[in-house]
């Protein structure tokens, strides 16, 4: 058996106001034992302009929230596409055995999402669960999903060689399917978008 602690992995990039709104919403979850891993892949200029107030917000807001700056740059100072690395940092630093992935713009619509995901993970093995984001689509996308931490570590984390928006879901689905994982849609886990989709780097 695994314990019920949930680590919510929240990657963000150039959208501090969205991330803060999401954090405040996640903290309303009725699950008793959880943490929020904020993994910040913002551009350096944006980070310098906003990091102090964002870190202060986290430090004073709730001890459940942890912050990591994950961005990397080449010799010319150009930042790479760091979504996979941000998520992987959250996995590495997580202390919960149940992981819930929520991109910064995706927030729970019901207060029992963490409980539902946690209960499902504890009852099964080698299943990657994903919820409903309002469109009732039963196809797997990892930006609102949950999996057992030990299983994603053993299966190989997120692929950091994917260097642009799109392609990550297909790679994950194929690689995990070859390792005999199944993917289960949980329509009772609901989320809504805090802003429109438009790529990882959009504000």
């Amino acid at each position: 058996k695994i314990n019920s602690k949930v680590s919510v992995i929240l990657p963000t990039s150039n959208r501090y106001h969205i991330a803060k709104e999401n954090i405040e919403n996640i903290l309303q979850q009725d699950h008793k034992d959880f943490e929020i891993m904020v993994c910040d892949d913002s551009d350096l200029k944006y980070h310098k302009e906003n990091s102090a107030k964002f870190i202060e917000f986290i430090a004073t807001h709730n001890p459940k929230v942890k912050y990591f700056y994950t961005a990397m740059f080449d010799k010319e100072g150009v930042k790479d596409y760091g979504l996979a690395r941000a998520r992987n940092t959250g996995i590495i630093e997580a202390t919960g055995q149940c992981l819930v992935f929520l991109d910064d713009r995706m927030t729970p619509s019901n207060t029992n999402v963490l409980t539902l995901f946690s209960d499902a993970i504890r009852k099964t093995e080698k299943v990657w669960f994903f919820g409903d984001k309002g469109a009732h689509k039963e196809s797997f996308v990892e930006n609102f999903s949950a999996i057992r931490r030990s299983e994603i570590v053993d299966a190989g984390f997120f692929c950091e060689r994917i260097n642009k928006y799109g392609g990550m879901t297909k790679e994950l689905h194929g690689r995990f399917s070859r390792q005999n994982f199944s993917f289960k849609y949980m329509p009772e886990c609901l989320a809504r978008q805090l802003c429109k989709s438009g790529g990882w780097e959009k504000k």
Side-chain angles (χ1 to χ4, degrees):
K1 292 184 178 180
I2 65 173
N3 64 35
S4 61
K5 184 171 186 179
V6 175
S7 295
V8 180
I9 298 175
L10 182 71
T12 186
S13 182
N14 298 345
R15 290 195 290 225
Y16 286 128
H17 61 296
I18 295 296
K20 286 192 289 187
E21 182 178 349
N22 204 345
I23 291 166
E24 291 174 330
N25 187 46
I26 295 168
L27 288 171
Q28 303 305 310
Q29 287 286 301
D30 57 17
H31 195 76
K32 293 182 179 180
D33 192 11
F34 70 93
E35 62 184 358
I36 304 173
M37 320 296 285
V38 180
C39 301
D40 181 9
D41 185 57
S42 296
D43 295 332
L44 188 58
K45 181 177 183 294
Y46 195 90
H47 174 69
K48 287 180 177 179
E49 292 174 351
N50 295 274
S51 61
K53 58 185 179 182
F54 191 62
I55 293 170
E56 182 181 3
F57 162 80
I58 291 173
T60 59
H61 204 71
N62 198 291
K64 291 180 180 290
V65 186
K66 301 176 182 178
Y67 175 83
F68 306 91
Y69 185 56
T70 63
M72 294 184 67
F73 306 84
D74 63 17
K75 294 179 180 179
E76 284 72 41
V78 177
K79 191 181 77 63
D80 66 359
Y81 179 74
L83 176 55
R85 184 178 56 253
R87 288 172 172 166
N88 287 342
T89 298
I91 295 170
I92 293 166
E93 299 292 342
T95 60
Q97 297 179 46
C98 300
L99 303 182
V100 171
F101 295 100
L102 273 172
D103 283 4
D104 56 2
R105 66 184 178 85
M106 203 67 58
T107 196
S109 294
N110 45 323
T111 58
N112 63 342
V113 164
L114 300 189
T115 298
L116 291 170
F117 274 142
S118 174
D119 288 348
I121 289 171
R122 291 159 63 198
K123 293 175 183 177
T124 58
E125 294 182 356
K126 302 196 81 170
V127 180
W128 198 323
F129 298 93
F130 60 100
D132 187 277
K133 296 174 287 187
H136 309 295
K137 292 183 178 180
E138 299 184 24
S139 54
F140 169 73
V141 179
E142 75 286 348
N143 63 1
F144 177 45
S145 68
I147 191 171
R148 190 175 298 196
R149 182 182 184 277
S150 60
E151 291 180 342
I152 195 170
V153 170
D154 291 344
F157 289 83
F158 288 84
C159 179
E160 296 184 15
R161 290 179 295 177
I162 295 175
N163 59 9
K164 60 182 179 179
Y165 185 73
M168 194 175 299
T169 299
K170 183 177 180 180
E171 190 279 331
L172 283 172
H173 191 278
R175 176 158 51 93
F176 278 72
S177 294
R178 290 191 294 272
Q179 297 183 60
N180 299 314
F181 277 79
S182 58
F183 300 83
K184 184 175 180 180
Y185 172 56
M186 293 182 64
E188 65 272 30
C189 292
L190 302 172
R192 58 186 172 85
Q193 294 190 43
L194 295 174
C195 64
K196 293 182 179 180
S197 175
W200 179 237
E201 303 301 334
K202 301 298 183 184
K203 297 182 182 179

